[in-house]
Short mmCIF file of all heavy atoms in Angstrom, two decimals:
data_model
loop_
_atom_site.label_atom_id
_atom_site.label_comp_id
_atom_site.label_asym_id
_atom_site.label_seq_id
_atom_site.Cartn_x
_atom_site.Cartn_y
_atom_site.Cartn_z
N GLY C 1 67.66 117.97 124.77
CA GLY C 1 67.65 117.61 126.22
C GLY C 1 68.48 116.39 126.57
O GLY C 1 68.69 116.08 127.75
N ALA C 2 68.97 115.61 125.63
CA ALA C 2 69.80 114.50 125.88
C ALA C 2 71.26 114.92 126.02
O ALA C 2 71.85 115.25 124.99
CB ALA C 2 69.61 113.44 124.80
N VAL C 3 71.82 114.93 127.20
CA VAL C 3 73.14 115.49 127.43
C VAL C 3 74.28 114.42 127.09
O VAL C 3 74.19 113.27 127.70
CB VAL C 3 73.34 115.95 128.85
CG1 VAL C 3 74.76 116.44 129.06
CG2 VAL C 3 72.35 117.06 129.17
N TRP C 4 75.07 114.69 126.16
CA TRP C 4 76.10 113.68 125.81
C TRP C 4 77.52 114.09 126.20
O TRP C 4 78.47 113.21 126.13
CB TRP C 4 76.06 113.35 124.33
CG TRP C 4 76.27 114.56 123.42
CD1 TRP C 4 75.37 115.29 122.72
CD2 TRP C 4 77.59 115.04 122.94
NE1 TRP C 4 75.92 116.22 122.02
CE2 TRP C 4 77.31 116.14 122.07
CE3 TRP C 4 78.89 114.71 123.27
CZ2 TRP C 4 78.32 116.90 121.44
CZ3 TRP C 4 79.91 115.47 122.67
CH2 TRP C 4 79.63 116.49 121.83
N GLY C 5 77.78 115.40 126.53
CA GLY C 5 79.15 115.76 126.82
C GLY C 5 79.25 116.71 128.04
O GLY C 5 78.32 117.49 128.28
N HIS C 6 80.27 116.49 128.85
CA HIS C 6 80.51 117.31 130.05
C HIS C 6 81.98 117.67 130.00
O HIS C 6 82.79 116.84 129.86
CB HIS C 6 80.25 116.57 131.37
CG HIS C 6 78.86 116.02 131.53
ND1 HIS C 6 77.89 116.72 132.14
CD2 HIS C 6 78.33 114.88 131.06
CE1 HIS C 6 76.78 116.03 132.07
NE2 HIS C 6 76.95 114.94 131.41
N PHE C 7 82.30 118.99 130.03
CA PHE C 7 83.70 119.54 129.98
C PHE C 7 83.90 120.49 131.21
O PHE C 7 83.07 121.38 131.39
CB PHE C 7 83.88 120.25 128.70
CG PHE C 7 83.64 119.38 127.48
CD1 PHE C 7 82.33 119.14 126.97
CD2 PHE C 7 84.74 118.78 126.80
CE1 PHE C 7 82.16 118.32 125.88
CE2 PHE C 7 84.51 118.01 125.68
CZ PHE C 7 83.26 117.77 125.24
N HIS C 8 84.91 120.23 131.90
CA HIS C 8 85.19 121.04 133.10
C HIS C 8 86.61 121.60 133.17
O HIS C 8 87.52 120.82 133.03
CB HIS C 8 84.93 120.19 134.40
CG HIS C 8 83.57 119.47 134.43
ND1 HIS C 8 82.42 120.14 134.84
CD2 HIS C 8 83.18 118.25 134.08
CE1 HIS C 8 81.37 119.31 134.72
NE2 HIS C 8 81.79 118.15 134.31
N LEU C 9 86.69 122.88 133.36
CA LEU C 9 87.99 123.47 133.69
C LEU C 9 87.86 124.24 135.01
O LEU C 9 87.04 125.13 135.16
CB LEU C 9 88.42 124.47 132.59
CG LEU C 9 88.61 124.01 131.12
CD1 LEU C 9 87.37 123.76 130.42
CD2 LEU C 9 89.51 124.89 130.37
N GLU C 10 88.68 123.75 136.00
CA GLU C 10 88.61 124.37 137.33
C GLU C 10 89.94 124.85 137.77
O GLU C 10 91.01 124.40 137.28
CB GLU C 10 88.05 123.25 138.31
CG GLU C 10 86.68 122.76 137.95
CD GLU C 10 86.17 121.66 138.83
OE1 GLU C 10 86.99 120.81 139.19
OE2 GLU C 10 84.94 121.60 139.07
N GLY C 11 89.94 125.73 138.75
CA GLY C 11 91.23 126.26 139.27
C GLY C 11 91.94 127.09 138.20
O GLY C 11 93.14 127.25 138.18
N LEU C 12 91.18 127.90 137.40
CA LEU C 12 91.76 128.71 136.40
C LEU C 12 92.50 129.90 137.04
O LEU C 12 92.01 130.52 138.04
CB LEU C 12 90.68 129.33 135.40
CG LEU C 12 90.00 128.33 134.55
CD1 LEU C 12 88.71 128.91 133.94
CD2 LEU C 12 90.94 127.89 133.45
N GLU C 13 93.67 130.20 136.54
CA GLU C 13 94.45 131.31 137.03
C GLU C 13 94.89 132.24 135.93
O GLU C 13 95.14 131.89 134.81
CB GLU C 13 95.83 130.70 137.62
CG GLU C 13 95.56 129.81 138.80
CD GLU C 13 96.94 129.28 139.47
OE1 GLU C 13 97.95 129.57 138.80
OE2 GLU C 13 96.83 128.61 140.47
N GLU C 14 94.74 133.55 136.29
CA GLU C 14 95.02 134.60 135.27
C GLU C 14 96.52 134.61 134.89
O GLU C 14 97.45 134.32 135.71
CB GLU C 14 94.71 136.00 135.94
CG GLU C 14 93.22 136.21 136.31
CD GLU C 14 92.37 136.43 135.10
OE1 GLU C 14 92.99 136.70 133.96
OE2 GLU C 14 91.14 136.45 135.11
N GLN C 15 96.65 134.81 133.55
CA GLN C 15 98.04 134.92 133.02
C GLN C 15 98.12 136.15 132.17
O GLN C 15 97.09 136.70 131.76
CB GLN C 15 98.28 133.61 132.15
CG GLN C 15 98.08 132.32 132.85
CD GLN C 15 99.07 132.01 133.92
OE1 GLN C 15 100.15 132.58 133.90
NE2 GLN C 15 98.78 131.09 134.82
N ASP C 16 99.35 136.49 131.86
CA ASP C 16 99.61 137.62 130.98
C ASP C 16 99.19 137.21 129.55
O ASP C 16 99.70 136.24 129.00
CB ASP C 16 101.08 138.05 131.02
CG ASP C 16 101.35 139.28 130.13
OD1 ASP C 16 100.47 139.60 129.28
OD2 ASP C 16 102.46 139.76 130.28
N PRO C 17 98.19 137.90 128.94
CA PRO C 17 97.72 137.46 127.61
C PRO C 17 98.85 137.46 126.61
O PRO C 17 98.76 136.68 125.60
CB PRO C 17 96.70 138.60 127.22
CG PRO C 17 96.26 139.11 128.53
CD PRO C 17 97.43 139.06 129.42
N ARG C 18 99.82 138.19 126.76
CA ARG C 18 100.96 138.26 125.71
C ARG C 18 101.78 136.89 125.83
O ARG C 18 102.56 136.69 124.89
CB ARG C 18 101.90 139.36 126.05
CG ARG C 18 101.22 140.76 125.82
CD ARG C 18 102.13 141.89 126.31
NE ARG C 18 102.28 141.85 127.78
CZ ARG C 18 103.03 142.73 128.48
NH1 ARG C 18 103.64 143.70 127.84
NH2 ARG C 18 103.16 142.53 129.81
N THR C 19 101.57 136.03 126.85
CA THR C 19 102.32 134.86 126.90
C THR C 19 101.59 133.71 126.26
O THR C 19 102.11 132.59 126.22
CB THR C 19 102.56 134.44 128.47
OG1 THR C 19 101.25 134.13 129.08
CG2 THR C 19 103.25 135.50 129.22
N ASN C 20 100.47 133.94 125.69
CA ASN C 20 99.70 132.91 124.98
C ASN C 20 100.41 132.52 123.66
O ASN C 20 100.36 133.27 122.75
CB ASN C 20 98.25 133.34 124.70
CG ASN C 20 97.38 132.31 124.03
OD1 ASN C 20 97.37 131.13 124.57
ND2 ASN C 20 96.65 132.60 123.08
N PRO C 21 100.95 131.27 123.66
CA PRO C 21 101.72 131.00 122.43
C PRO C 21 100.77 130.54 121.32
O PRO C 21 99.76 129.93 121.59
CB PRO C 21 102.59 129.77 122.86
CG PRO C 21 101.82 129.12 123.99
CD PRO C 21 101.08 130.26 124.67
N PRO C 22 101.05 130.87 120.09
CA PRO C 22 100.17 130.41 118.99
C PRO C 22 100.30 128.86 118.85
O PRO C 22 101.38 128.33 119.11
CB PRO C 22 100.78 131.03 117.75
CG PRO C 22 102.19 131.37 118.12
CD PRO C 22 102.22 131.61 119.58
N PRO C 23 99.26 128.24 118.41
CA PRO C 23 99.26 126.74 118.24
C PRO C 23 100.23 126.33 117.18
O PRO C 23 100.32 127.02 116.17
CB PRO C 23 97.88 126.37 117.96
CG PRO C 23 97.25 127.63 117.43
CD PRO C 23 97.93 128.74 118.09
N ASN C 24 100.84 125.18 117.37
CA ASN C 24 101.74 124.67 116.34
C ASN C 24 100.89 123.76 115.35
O ASN C 24 100.68 122.65 115.51
CB ASN C 24 102.83 123.81 116.98
CG ASN C 24 103.81 123.26 115.94
OD1 ASN C 24 103.93 123.74 114.74
ND2 ASN C 24 104.57 122.17 116.35
N VAL C 25 100.40 124.52 114.33
CA VAL C 25 99.47 123.81 113.50
C VAL C 25 100.02 123.57 112.00
O VAL C 25 99.26 123.28 111.15
CB VAL C 25 98.14 124.66 113.36
CG1 VAL C 25 97.45 124.72 114.70
CG2 VAL C 25 98.35 126.07 112.87
N GLY C 26 101.31 123.75 111.87
CA GLY C 26 101.88 123.70 110.48
C GLY C 26 101.33 124.79 109.66
O GLY C 26 101.39 125.99 109.99
N LYS C 27 100.71 124.47 108.47
CA LYS C 27 100.15 125.45 107.61
C LYS C 27 98.75 125.90 107.89
O LYS C 27 98.24 126.77 107.28
CB LYS C 27 100.22 124.99 106.10
CG LYS C 27 101.69 124.85 105.65
CD LYS C 27 101.75 124.52 104.15
CE LYS C 27 103.18 124.59 103.71
NZ LYS C 27 103.22 124.31 102.17
N GLY C 28 98.10 125.21 108.90
CA GLY C 28 96.79 125.54 109.29
C GLY C 28 95.89 124.40 109.62
O GLY C 28 96.44 123.43 110.12
N ASP C 29 94.59 124.59 109.42
CA ASP C 29 93.62 123.49 109.75
C ASP C 29 93.33 122.67 108.55
O ASP C 29 93.06 123.21 107.46
CB ASP C 29 92.35 124.10 110.27
CG ASP C 29 92.53 124.83 111.59
OD1 ASP C 29 93.62 124.55 112.30
OD2 ASP C 29 91.61 125.58 111.96
N LEU C 30 93.45 121.31 108.69
CA LEU C 30 93.12 120.39 107.62
C LEU C 30 91.71 119.90 107.79
O LEU C 30 91.34 119.42 108.87
CB LEU C 30 94.09 119.20 107.65
CG LEU C 30 95.52 119.50 107.40
CD1 LEU C 30 96.47 118.29 107.68
CD2 LEU C 30 95.82 120.00 105.96
N ILE C 31 90.87 120.04 106.74
CA ILE C 31 89.53 119.53 106.71
C ILE C 31 89.32 118.74 105.50
O ILE C 31 90.16 118.73 104.56
CB ILE C 31 88.48 120.62 106.99
CG1 ILE C 31 88.60 121.62 105.94
CG2 ILE C 31 88.56 121.21 108.37
CD1 ILE C 31 87.58 122.80 106.00
N TYR C 32 88.14 118.10 105.33
CA TYR C 32 87.93 117.22 104.18
C TYR C 32 86.48 117.51 103.68
O TYR C 32 85.53 117.32 104.40
CB TYR C 32 88.11 115.79 104.51
CG TYR C 32 88.13 114.87 103.34
CD1 TYR C 32 89.26 114.75 102.51
CD2 TYR C 32 87.03 114.10 102.97
CE1 TYR C 32 89.30 113.94 101.45
CE2 TYR C 32 87.10 113.21 101.92
CZ TYR C 32 88.21 113.16 101.17
OH TYR C 32 88.26 112.34 100.04
N ARG C 33 86.39 117.98 102.48
CA ARG C 33 85.05 118.31 101.85
C ARG C 33 84.50 117.10 101.21
O ARG C 33 85.11 116.41 100.49
CB ARG C 33 85.23 119.52 100.91
CG ARG C 33 83.92 119.81 100.14
CD ARG C 33 84.15 120.94 99.13
NE ARG C 33 82.87 121.24 98.44
CZ ARG C 33 82.02 122.17 98.91
NH1 ARG C 33 82.15 122.67 100.10
NH2 ARG C 33 80.88 122.36 98.19
N TYR C 34 83.25 116.85 101.51
CA TYR C 34 82.44 115.81 100.85
C TYR C 34 81.05 116.25 100.69
O TYR C 34 80.36 116.56 101.67
CB TYR C 34 82.48 114.49 101.66
CG TYR C 34 81.81 113.37 100.92
CD1 TYR C 34 82.58 112.43 100.19
CD2 TYR C 34 80.43 113.12 101.05
CE1 TYR C 34 81.94 111.38 99.54
CE2 TYR C 34 79.82 112.14 100.36
CZ TYR C 34 80.61 111.21 99.63
OH TYR C 34 79.95 110.22 98.95
N MET C 35 80.54 116.32 99.47
CA MET C 35 79.17 116.74 99.19
C MET C 35 78.57 115.70 98.22
O MET C 35 79.12 115.37 97.21
CB MET C 35 79.18 118.12 98.53
CG MET C 35 79.68 119.23 99.43
SD MET C 35 78.71 119.53 100.87
CE MET C 35 77.23 120.23 100.15
N PRO C 36 77.34 115.24 98.47
CA PRO C 36 76.67 114.29 97.68
C PRO C 36 75.99 114.94 96.43
O PRO C 36 75.69 116.16 96.49
CB PRO C 36 75.64 113.67 98.57
CG PRO C 36 75.29 114.81 99.48
CD PRO C 36 76.52 115.49 99.74
N GLN C 37 75.93 114.15 95.35
CA GLN C 37 75.18 114.70 94.25
C GLN C 37 73.67 114.78 94.50
O GLN C 37 73.10 114.04 95.38
CB GLN C 37 75.42 113.87 92.96
CG GLN C 37 76.82 113.91 92.48
CD GLN C 37 77.01 113.41 91.06
OE1 GLN C 37 76.13 113.60 90.24
NE2 GLN C 37 78.09 112.65 90.81
N VAL C 38 72.96 115.61 93.81
CA VAL C 38 71.54 115.77 93.91
C VAL C 38 70.83 114.82 92.90
O VAL C 38 71.31 114.67 91.74
CB VAL C 38 71.14 117.22 93.65
CG1 VAL C 38 69.58 117.37 93.74
CG2 VAL C 38 71.78 118.13 94.72
N GLY C 39 69.83 114.21 93.42
CA GLY C 39 69.07 113.34 92.53
C GLY C 39 69.22 111.87 92.82
O GLY C 39 70.27 111.39 93.13
N ARG C 40 68.06 111.08 92.84
CA ARG C 40 68.18 109.72 93.24
C ARG C 40 69.03 108.88 92.33
O ARG C 40 69.62 107.90 92.65
CB ARG C 40 66.79 109.11 93.27
CG ARG C 40 65.84 109.79 94.27
CD ARG C 40 64.46 109.09 94.35
NE ARG C 40 64.63 107.70 94.71
CZ ARG C 40 64.73 107.22 96.02
NH1 ARG C 40 64.70 108.12 96.96
NH2 ARG C 40 64.84 105.97 96.26
N ALA C 41 69.16 109.30 91.00
CA ALA C 41 69.94 108.59 90.08
C ALA C 41 71.45 108.61 90.45
O ALA C 41 72.21 107.75 90.06
CB ALA C 41 69.75 109.09 88.71
N TYR C 42 71.81 109.61 91.18
CA TYR C 42 73.25 109.79 91.55
C TYR C 42 73.59 109.43 93.09
O TYR C 42 74.63 109.72 93.58
CB TYR C 42 73.75 111.19 91.31
CG TYR C 42 73.59 111.53 89.82
CD1 TYR C 42 72.52 112.43 89.45
CD2 TYR C 42 74.44 111.14 88.88
CE1 TYR C 42 72.35 112.73 88.15
CE2 TYR C 42 74.27 111.44 87.59
CZ TYR C 42 73.25 112.31 87.20
OH TYR C 42 73.10 112.68 85.90
N LYS C 43 72.54 108.86 93.71
CA LYS C 43 72.69 108.49 95.23
C LYS C 43 73.94 107.70 95.38
O LYS C 43 74.11 106.71 94.73
CB LYS C 43 71.52 107.92 95.70
CG LYS C 43 71.51 107.77 97.24
CD LYS C 43 70.17 107.29 97.78
CE LYS C 43 69.66 106.00 97.28
NZ LYS C 43 68.46 105.54 98.04
N GLY C 44 74.76 108.12 96.39
CA GLY C 44 75.94 107.29 96.67
C GLY C 44 77.16 107.82 96.00
O GLY C 44 78.30 107.38 96.27
N GLN C 45 77.03 108.79 95.06
CA GLN C 45 78.21 109.33 94.36
C GLN C 45 78.41 110.75 94.77
O GLN C 45 77.47 111.50 95.00
CB GLN C 45 77.93 109.36 92.89
CG GLN C 45 77.64 107.93 92.30
CD GLN C 45 77.38 107.98 90.80
OE1 GLN C 45 77.78 108.79 90.08
NE2 GLN C 45 76.55 107.03 90.32
N PRO C 46 79.69 111.11 94.98
CA PRO C 46 79.94 112.49 95.51
C PRO C 46 79.91 113.50 94.39
O PRO C 46 80.21 113.27 93.26
CB PRO C 46 81.41 112.35 96.05
CG PRO C 46 82.03 111.32 95.21
CD PRO C 46 80.90 110.25 94.87
N GLU C 47 79.38 114.66 94.83
CA GLU C 47 79.40 115.84 93.92
C GLU C 47 80.74 116.52 94.03
O GLU C 47 81.27 117.01 93.01
CB GLU C 47 78.33 116.78 94.41
CG GLU C 47 78.18 118.06 93.56
CD GLU C 47 77.53 117.74 92.18
OE1 GLU C 47 76.43 117.04 92.26
OE2 GLU C 47 78.03 118.16 91.19
N ALA C 48 81.26 116.47 95.24
CA ALA C 48 82.60 117.08 95.46
C ALA C 48 83.31 116.31 96.57
O ALA C 48 82.66 115.95 97.60
CB ALA C 48 82.51 118.56 95.88
#
């Protein structure tokens, strides 16, 4: 119930779907994996 974001798009106009250009993303989406190790003895150390 605590609202933190408001996003508004108004005045939308129809376009030919074939004109939708693909995003210029290089080779794709870059993300970063981080997983902690299991067990209190390893707390603070990454598993991956």
Side-chain angles (χ1 to χ4, degrees):
V3 178
W4 60 262
H6 302 267
F7 302 80
H8 306 280
L9 294 82
E10 298 174 328
L12 291 165
E13 297 181 355
E14 296 283 350
Q15 306 292 340
D16 185 345
R18 293 171 296 180
T19 66
N20 184 47
N24 182 16
V25 297
K27 291 189 176 181
D29 293 344
L30 297 171
I31 57 180
Y32 192 76
R33 178 180 177 83
Y34 185 96
M35 297 295 291
Q37 291 196 42
V38 176
R40 296 184 63 82
Y42 301 102
K43 186 167 64 172
Q45 300 178 31
E47 183 74 46

